[in-house]
Amino acid sequence: MDMPSITDMLPPPAAQNVVAAGGRKGAAAVEAAKQFESILLTQIVQEMGNTVEEGGMLEETGGKQVMDMFYYHLAQEISNKGGLGLWKSIARQIDRSQAPAAEVRP
């Protein structure tokens, strides 16, 4: 009996049209926002992992490194499946902050 992974239970990635008319700048803002959210998720998952009592198979010297890699990949999977949705607000804010600079012409 196969158990579904946690990432299979997450909703599919959100549509890329959050910054619809932004073109390459919009795509770059979306990518930067998603990368930021991925880093944030990694930190959150690692901190959650720190609350787990130590012991068992991972007491050995490489145990912490293995768990850190697990937390990193778990956060990446969550992010790839749409993450927390925080990236949408971040991408919009990046676009807003760049808009006035793009309108100024020398």
Side-chain angles (χ1 to χ4, degrees), residues 75-86:
Q76 290 295 314
E77 281 298 311
I78 293 170
S79 181
N80 290 340
K81 296 285 184 170
L84 302 172
L86 182 62

Side-chain angles (χ1 to χ4, degrees), residues 9-93:
M9 298 178 212
L10 296 172
Q16 294 290 328
N17 63 357
V18 172
V19 190
R24 280 189 269 167
K25 288 182 183 178
V30 167
E31 184 61 30
K34 284 185 174 186
Q35 287 177 2
F36 175 79
E37 185 180 67
S38 177
I39 292 168
L40 179 64
L41 277 168
T42 301
Q43 294 296 314
I44 290 170
V45 171
Q46 284 179 337
E47 287 302 316
M48 287 172 44
N50 290 339
T51 65
V52 176
E53 189 174 312
E54 292 184 21
M57 293 185 341
L58 299 175
E59 278 186 9
E60 299 161 11
T61 56
K64 177 158 177 31
Q65 292 169 335
V66 169
M67 290 308 294
D68 285 345
M69 287 190 310
F70 168 74
Y71 297 142
Y72 171 78
H73 288 287
L74 177 62
Q76 290 295 314
E77 281 298 311
I78 293 170
S79 181
N80 290 340
K81 296 285 184 170
L84 302 172
L86 182 62
W87 65 269
K88 297 173 194 173
S89 296
I90 295 170
R92 278 191 216 104
Q93 187 61 39

